[in-house]
Amino acid sequence: MKRKNNLTRVAQENEIWDLAVIGGGASGLGVALDALSRGLKVLLLEKSDFAKGTSSRSTKLVHGGVRYLAQGEVGLVLEALKERGRLLKNAPHLTVNQPFIIPLYTFLDRWKYSIGLKIYDWMAGSLRFGKSRFISKEETVKKLPEIRKKGLKGGIVYHDGQFDDARLALIIAKTCDEMGGCLLNYANVNHLSKDEAGIINGLEFRDLLGKKNYPVKAKTVVNATGVFADKILQMDNPGAGKMIQPSQGVHLVVDARFLGGKDALMIPSTSDGRVLFAVPWQGKLVLGTTDTIRKKPKMEPQPLSSEIDFILETASNYLDSAPKRKDVLSVFAGLRPLAAPKEGSTKTKEISRSHKVIVSESKLITITGGKWTTFRKMGEDTVEAHYKIHGMAQQKSTSAEKKLHGYTLSQVKGHLQWYGSDAARILQLQQENEDWATPLLENYPYTGAEVVWAVREEMAQKIEDFLSRRCRILLLDAKAAMHMAPKVAAIMAKELGKDEDWIRQELEEFYKLAKKYLIH
Ligand SMILES: Cc1cc2nc3c(=O)[nH]c(=O)nc-3n(C[C@H](O)[C@H](O)[C@H](O)COP(=O)(O)OP(=O)(O)OC[C@H]3O[C@@H](n4cnc5c(N)ncnc54)[C@H](O)[C@@H]3O)c2cc1C
């Protein structure tokens, strides 16, 4: 996946792409993957880095959504459970089976959640991750050592999946690249072109690094820009109304000792009627999330103080020694691209989480809503719309069976497991150069070899690309990420052929960004 080659391809070849996809998050990558699986020619353009938006800021669950089942969204849950099973089959190196425990403090809860989760198990059918079951108070405490013991009656264990969202985006991008797709990060779409009848026939994008504009011809343009979808819709039709309602979700990352075990905690009903998770992830504990309506979409949404307090307060009701503000290692926020509610309603809980494919008069296709878990199905539905608008017979989609880049069943130990079969090549880089084998920072396993790999094979262009999405340290421990930054910048500068000025500017930009992930 080489940016230079892909840019040359776009500039030199006067090809007409079947699909030009705007947006390199879960939705856009799902569209690209499905289209390529049908033999279509695909260009994907991302204005920042792959998964820079919402797709690197999720709760990291591959799930049907127990909460949506409680809300009666049976179709959505069924679809997501099916996709969850597919992801485990196609990317076993990146999807793990994560047990969750609902602690029980009343006997009524035991029956309520037992029945609900049996239905959840049954809906997953043969793609079930494991059977839900009641466990005693003693077993609950053994699995969740820090759970509040006073009044505890037992727990219910159920199973869902967990993944690394940004890394999944990268391996889908790499899979697409291997299938002949052309993907570019730092490529901002700034214009849609139309024929005399007003039908879209291409676009223009700006290479934000080379500072040059490129025109592109395409049979179909797909708007997969998440919370930014309205901007593209207004580029198409300046009079287009508001379709997206951003809803913010915040996560706090703290030391794993605050829960103490390997199982995750699910709090099914918080004071505002939502659910809250405490999930062990990459050696830390992720607490979240919230659901707060925000007026405008932002690339770096900022957590509200009230959201941080809500998470800490809720956690303190369930943990014996709960984390405080000073214990938070990193805080990150993401925006859900929910469909805007009908006038008068402002409750995000009432807005459907299922995805929508919308075809504009100009034949621009917009894919919006949905969740990471269903990215592939969202892609399939979008590509079907492409065939429909052109009145063409469909080529068969094979994305449901496509094994993703790095697929392997024999995993290495430690954090390199997330790289799947690429782990062997990273270990090889460590052997080539001693400097690349030493950890970038004490107490963390990441090495220079991963930085080199990210530049050479994963299109990393800025130090943030590595520190936030190739390795997840910015989200795990923002201060540690700041300490690692100079070494990362030096290695990247050498690989990319950049000078001292570049290093200085990158570090300045990164420190400014990293401070936003700290609680003051
Ligand atoms: C707090 C939170 C927790 C979540 N947890 C889960 C979970 O645990 N499991 C799950 O399945 N789902 C979860 N989701 C949902 C899931 O993360 C989202 O549905 C998904 O990531 C949305 O992807 P997207 O591609 O639509 O949007 P994005 O990831 O935001 O991607 C859109 C991309 O478009 C790019 N773009 C915008 N304008 C342009 C332009 N002009 N030119 C080029 N590119 C452009 C942006 O830079 C961005 O990268 C969660 C969501 C949130 C907010």
Side-chain angles (χ1 to χ4, degrees):
M1 198 164 72
K2 311 263 186 258
R3 192 171 186 276
K4 223 179 188 171
N5 296 357
N6 291 0
L7 207 51
T8 310
R9 183 172 166 195
V10 181
Q12 285 177 354
E13 290 181 32
N14 201 14
E15 53 190 325
I16 301 180
W17 302 92
D18 290 314
L19 256 75
V21 182
I22 317 174
S27 308
L29 290 162
V31 174
L33 182 73
D34 188 77
L36 288 159
S37 85
R38 301 175 194 244
L40 297 176
K41 267 164 72 171
V42 180
L43 172 69
L44 181 143
L45 303 162
E46 163 54 52
K47 79 169 171 187
S48 178
D49 184 27
F50 304 114
K52 159 78 183 183
T54 305
S55 298
S56 56
R57 301 152 189 275
S58 78
T59 314
K60 307 0 170 169
L61 304 181
V62 186
H63 63 159
V66 174
R67 161 188 175 188
Y68 309 131
L69 186 59
Q71 288 168 355
E73 296 220 42
V74 176
L76 174 68
V77 176
L78 263 176
E79 180 177 87
L81 286 171
K82 214 179 206 178
E83 292 303 317
R84 180 187 76 165
R86 284 185 171 138
L87 204 50
L88 187 69
K89 275 193 185 153
N90 295 332
H93 53 305
L94 209 61
T95 319
V96 297
N97 185 334
Q98 173 66 56
F100 287 77
I101 298 176
I102 300 180
L104 301 170
Y105 292 94
T106 70
F107 285 113
L108 185 67
D109 279 352
R110 171 172 175 176
W111 300 115
K112 192 164 91 183
Y113 297 125
S114 289
I115 293 167
L117 287 163
K118 283 288 166 222
I119 296 173
Y120 194 64
D121 289 352
W122 173 76
M123 284 171 76
S126 61
L127 295 171
R128 196 171 61 197
F129 274 31
K131 266 189 188 171
S132 61
R133 65 186 175 100
F134 170 78
I135 53 172
S136 65
K137 176 178 177 178
E138 290 67 33
E139 205 180 337
T140 306
V141 173
K142 209 167 147 199
K143 286 179 182 289
L144 302 175
E146 294 303 325
I147 192 73
R148 198 189 80 206
K149 282 121 199 134
K150 195 172 165 213
L152 185 70
K153 306 265 186 293
I156 308 237
V157 187
Y158 74 95
H159 295 257
D160 247 326
Q162 190 191 43
F163 72 134
D164 177 342
D165 46 11
R167 183 140 290 282
L168 179 60
L170 287 169
I171 68 160
I172 301 169
K174 280 181 78 82
T175 308
C176 289
D177 185 83
E178 287 157 6
M179 292 165 89
C182 182
L183 291 83
L184 284 168
N185 55 4
Y186 297 100
N188 181 37
V189 173
N190 50 29
H191 175 73
L192 300 173
S193 52
K194 295 181 181 174
D195 65 14
E196 282 151 16
I199 305 299
I200 288 188
N201 59 9
L203 51 79
E204 186 186 78
F205 74 90
R206 185 163 181 78
D207 166 18
L208 297 176
L209 303 178
K211 311 243 183 294
K212 205 178 146 193
N213 288 354
Y214 293 83
V216 162
K217 289 187 195 132
K219 289 181 191 156
T220 296
V221 173
V222 176
N223 172 13
T225 55
V227 280
F228 301 97
D230 283 342
K231 283 199 177 165
I232 302 293
L233 283 162
Q234 277 150 17
M235 211 183 265
D236 172 45
N237 169 13
K242 187 175 157 175
M243 225 183 66
I244 301 294
Q245 175 62 68
S247 158
Q248 177 159 295
V250 166
H251 294 93
L252 306 181
V253 178
V254 296
D255 199 286
R257 77 185 147 85
F258 285 106
L259 192 57
K262 287 192 174 136
D263 296 77
L265 166 68
M266 199 268 208
I267 300 166
S269 185
T270 61
S271 59
D272 72 350
R274 304 182 197 281
V275 301
L276 195 93
F277 292 102
V279 194
W281 186 65
Q282 302 208 0
K284 305 282 187 229
L285 185 69
V286 178
L287 303 169
T289 180
T290 52
D291 211 341
T292 314
I293 282 209
R294 302 310 305 259
K295 275 201 183 116
K296 282 191 183 157
K298 277 192 177 161
M299 279 311 267
E300 277 297 335
Q302 278 304 284
L304 303 178
S305 197
S306 55
E307 290 179 292
I308 296 168
D309 290 341
F310 169 76
I311 295 173
L312 290 174
E313 248 171 63
T314 307
S316 73
N317 293 334
Y318 290 87
L319 300 176
D320 271 343
S321 54
K324 310 258 182 321
R325 273 181 170 254
K326 66 173 175 43
D327 299 308
V328 175
L329 299 169
S330 182
V331 52
F332 60 93
L335 296 174
R336 295 175 191 86
L338 302 185
K342 296 210 172 75
E343 252 171 63
S345 170
T346 51
K347 288 190 183 147
T348 57
K349 274 187 288 181
E350 289 168 8
I351 307 173
S352 171
R353 309 285 154 138
S354 59
H355 64 272
K356 284 190 182 62
V357 178
I358 300 142
V359 180
S360 303
E361 261 178 49
S362 64
K363 304 274 193 274
L364 170 73
I365 302 179
T366 299
I367 169 75
T368 180
K371 48 209 270 197
W372 236 126
T373 310
T374 54
F375 80 96
R376 192 212 60 83
K377 180 71 172 75
M378 291 165 68
E380 190 180 316
D381 292 352
T382 309
V383 180
E384 275 175 14
H386 157 76
Y387 287 108
K388 246 184 221 161
I389 61 174
H390 293 290
M392 293 187 294
Q394 278 194 40
Q395 288 144 288
K396 194 175 176 294
S397 160
T398 54
S399 58
E401 294 84 44
K402 179 74 192 162
K403 297 208 175 356
L404 298 182
H405 178 89
Y407 174 94
T408 177
L409 291 173
S410 54
Q411 292 180 344
V412 292
K413 282 213 173 89
H415 78 290
L416 288 185
Q417 67 171 282
W418 302 109
Y419 288 88
S421 59
D422 285 341
R425 294 181 60 193
I426 292 167
L427 290 171
Q428 206 176 319
L429 281 173
Q430 290 184 3
Q431 279 170 4
E432 269 171 37
N433 185 329
E434 240 177 70
D435 287 349
W436 296 345
T438 45
L440 294 163
L441 190 71
E442 226 184 356
N443 298 328
Y444 283 101
Y446 318 108
T447 62
E450 289 161 69
V451 184
V452 174
W453 178 260
V455 175
R456 291 187 189 171
E457 305 291 337
E458 297 179 342
M459 233 187 245
Q461 303 293 319
K462 299 176 72 64
I463 62 171
E464 178 204 335
D465 299 348
F466 178 77
L467 290 163
S468 180
R469 291 170 294 277
R470 307 302 182 278
C471 133
R472 309 307 309 274
I473 192 69
L474 178 63
L475 276 69
L476 294 168
D477 185 342
K479 269 190 194 146
M482 290 167 92
H483 289 306
M484 254 180 225
K487 272 196 188 160
V488 172
I491 298 172
M492 282 187 78
K494 217 169 184 183
E495 285 292 313
L496 291 164
K498 303 287 185 187
D499 57 14
E500 285 297 323
D501 274 352
W502 181 87
I503 295 184
R504 209 171 307 119
Q505 198 184 328
E506 276 291 306
L507 287 174
E508 206 176 290
E509 258 178 52
F510 183 72
Y511 292 145
K512 208 166 143 194
L513 173 79
K515 280 185 192 148
K516 295 183 179 166
Y517 288 69
L518 294 169
I519 292 186
H520 304 285

